[in-house]
Amino acid sequence: MAAPASGSSRRYDVIVVGAGIMGSCAAHAAASRGARVLLLDRFDLLHHRGSSHGESRASRVTYAEAYYPPMVRLSHRLWDEAQRDAGYRVLTPTTHLDLGPRHQPALLAAIANGAATEIPGADAARERPAWADAFRVPDGWTAAKSELGGVIKATKAVAMFQALAVRMGAVVRDGVEVVDIAKNQGEEVIVVRTSSGEEFHGGKCIITVGAWTRKLVKSVTGDSMDLPVQPLHTLICYWKVKPGHEHELAAEAGFPTFAGYGDTHIYSTPSMEYPGLIKICMHGGPQCDPDRRDWAAATGEGEGGLVGPVAQWIDEVMPECVDTAGGPVLRQPCMYSMTPDDDFVIDFLGGEEFGKDVVVGAGFSGHGFKMGPAIGRILAEMALDGEARTASEAGVELQHFRISRFEGNPMGNAKTY
């Protein structure tokens, strides 16, 4: 990456704190406009302690909330642009499948908002996708396919945006723990202070620290703002594909990403990163402290485990193709950062001190990675311009992501499903 700059030798237009997918995309978006950008991370670059690492993330356009599909579509355009500039791909397009109880409200809304089409049953006269026979759809369930699915190589994608940002002049520093962000009112300067005593000066600041958002924002605001962003343990599970079905469930054979609705929220990507294995996981997990994680709690065993419900779902829906005996072959712990309503936080920190000079992006886990390029563009524009024009032009609505939604309403955006 770029050579380190001393803390006070240069003033930056934008300082981005947190170099996961959102921070890296924001740094790239700001640098692409010619801004002098500093991207900081507390740990080593591409570390495994947060939420942006790993082999894959799924993309889909089917959302129960109508305000997400436009952001997904914008992101896919920006993924394509970034891949063109990088000269290599990190996103493999696929079909996406949603299945679950036929009258499940969230599923029905997702199908409608994503313009998904129902797959005919095995005894129907209409043509079915070749991969549809991998699923044993229970009575009373529906299954619908949509376009604009995909598999994103997660760590590779973060590295791509960091490399593109550096190519455009951004400075990237890792091993830098930010402990305070303040505004020098006399000079209209944002001062970012680190645990080692360094200071970085900038015109604007973007906070994208994932599971550490609540702690950092409370420290920065003197406990006057407590953002309800809760870190959770979660578990990535890879299961053995039964002999004879290895090619059928592979991405190159056209197998889709998929999501299962119902009592257990399931998500999956086709067999890709580990031949003969398929990633099928449960959404969610137990609460955790990002600085004091009980790594054993993320193994998925015991009460509230993240393995048993997945195995039960596989045995019901994909028994001919996926082997659950002995549990998943690979288990990889990860961390979510969730708001009470599962919606993002994209807003100015506000207040008399910061106004529009500090922007916060948080609460993306579980479904945000696919929208990283769009969110990064939005955060950069908010910091540099005070508004997100690209979002407005693309029909992306940001009102649901405001911090004010939690004022007097701890659950935020009300859900009707």
Side-chain angles (χ1 to χ4, degrees):
M1 292 295 178
S6 63
S8 59
S9 65
R10 183 179 179 191
R11 170 166 169 175
Y12 298 91
D13 297 314
V14 180
I15 300 174
V16 183
V17 182
I21 186 61
M22 302 307 174
S24 298
C25 287
H28 166 256
S32 69
R33 292 183 43 179
R36 294 167 297 176
V37 178
L38 174 63
L39 175 62
L40 303 174
D41 201 90
R42 176 180 179 180
F43 305 109
D44 289 340
L45 296 179
L46 309 180
H47 64 84
H48 286 205
R49 301 191 192 189
S51 306
S52 291
H53 64 281
E55 294 294 328
S56 63
R57 297 292 189 277
S59 183
R60 60 184 169 92
V61 75
T62 48
Y63 269 90
E65 302 87 0
Y67 41 89
Y68 283 116
M71 191 181 291
V72 176
R73 295 188 181 97
L74 171 60
S75 265
H76 271 255
R77 175 168 65 81
L78 298 178
W79 280 114
D80 287 342
E81 291 179 5
Q83 291 174 130
R84 180 199 62 209
D85 292 343
Y88 56 87
R89 299 194 65 83
V90 297
L91 189 158
T92 300
T94 69
T95 298
H96 177 75
L97 177 72
D98 290 290
L99 67 165
R102 182 172 295 277
H103 300 296
Q104 216 274 352
L107 173 59
L108 295 178
I111 290 172
N113 291 332
T117 56
E118 188 171 6
I119 295 175
D123 56 351
R126 287 188 293 146
E127 184 177 354
R128 283 160 46 88
W131 46 259
D133 290 337
F135 299 92
R136 182 191 291 173
V137 180
D139 291 340
W141 280 32
T142 188
K145 67 181 181 72
S146 56
E147 303 308 318
L148 215 63
V151 182
I152 306 164
K153 303 290 286 185
T155 298
K156 185 179 179 182
V158 177
M160 179 184 74
F161 277 104
Q162 290 176 2
L164 288 173
V166 169
R167 186 188 300 176
M168 295 172 182
V171 175
V172 179
R173 292 275 308 272
D174 63 358
V176 178
E177 181 184 5
V178 171
V179 295
D180 189 36
I181 300 169
K183 186 172 181 180
N184 185 332
Q185 299 291 348
E187 302 176 24
E188 293 296 311
V189 172
I190 297 295
V191 181
V192 175
R193 300 185 176 92
T194 75
S195 58
S196 65
E198 282 187 285
E199 287 190 359
F200 301 98
H201 295 174
K204 306 289 183 177
C205 182
I206 299 173
I207 299 174
T208 50
V209 293
W212 289 268
T213 299
R214 191 172 202 165
K215 291 186 176 186
L216 182 58
V217 169
K218 286 185 71 173
S219 174
V220 166
T221 62
D223 290 339
S224 66
M225 181 178 291
D226 185 11
L227 280 183
V229 179
Q230 176 62 55
L232 306 176
H233 279 299
T234 192
L235 190 68
I236 309 302
C237 296
Y238 288 88
W239 305 80
K240 182 175 176 57
V241 178
K242 289 185 176 181
H245 295 278
E246 292 89 349
H247 177 71
E248 177 185 351
L249 271 56
E252 56 265 28
F255 198 75
T257 58
F258 65 84
Y261 290 71
D263 295 336
T264 302
H265 188 172
I266 296 292
Y267 65 95
S268 173
T269 56
S271 180
M272 186 172 172
E273 51 264 46
Y274 300 110
L277 302 182
I278 184 170
K279 185 174 85 172
I280 305 177
C281 315
M282 175 181 168
H283 177 73
Q287 294 184 2
C288 69
D289 181 332
D291 294 312
R292 297 177 177 81
R293 291 173 71 180
D294 178 4
W295 294 93
T299 62
E301 301 297 346
E303 184 177 356
L306 300 172
V307 171
V310 181
Q312 183 178 349
W313 190 94
I314 293 171
D315 289 341
E316 182 178 8
V317 181
M318 304 183 72
E320 288 84 9
C321 297
V322 182
D323 190 353
T324 60
V329 176
L330 291 178
R331 307 178 189 211
Q332 299 173 343
C334 193
M335 195 161 45
Y336 275 180
S337 302
M338 305 295 293
T339 59
D341 54 18
D342 290 354
D343 283 332
F344 307 152
V345 171
I346 303 175
D347 204 356
F348 300 103
L349 193 55
E352 293 184 5
E353 180 177 5
F354 297 110
K356 291 188 173 183
D357 292 331
V358 177
V359 183
V360 179
F364 301 113
S365 295
H367 65 116
F369 198 104
K370 69 179 80 65
M371 290 175 264
I375 292 166
R377 177 74 65 89
I378 290 166
L379 293 171
E381 289 184 353
M382 289 174 66
L384 292 170
D385 305 329
E387 60 180 349
R389 290 196 296 266
T390 297
S392 178
E393 292 168 359
V396 175
E397 181 270 304
L398 300 178
Q399 184 61 38
H400 284 86
F401 308 132
R402 302 302 187 204
I403 295 171
S404 60
R405 73 183 191 263
F406 297 113
E407 295 175 3
N409 178 26
M411 294 308 296
N413 296 322
K415 307 292 184 180
T416 59
Y417 47 83

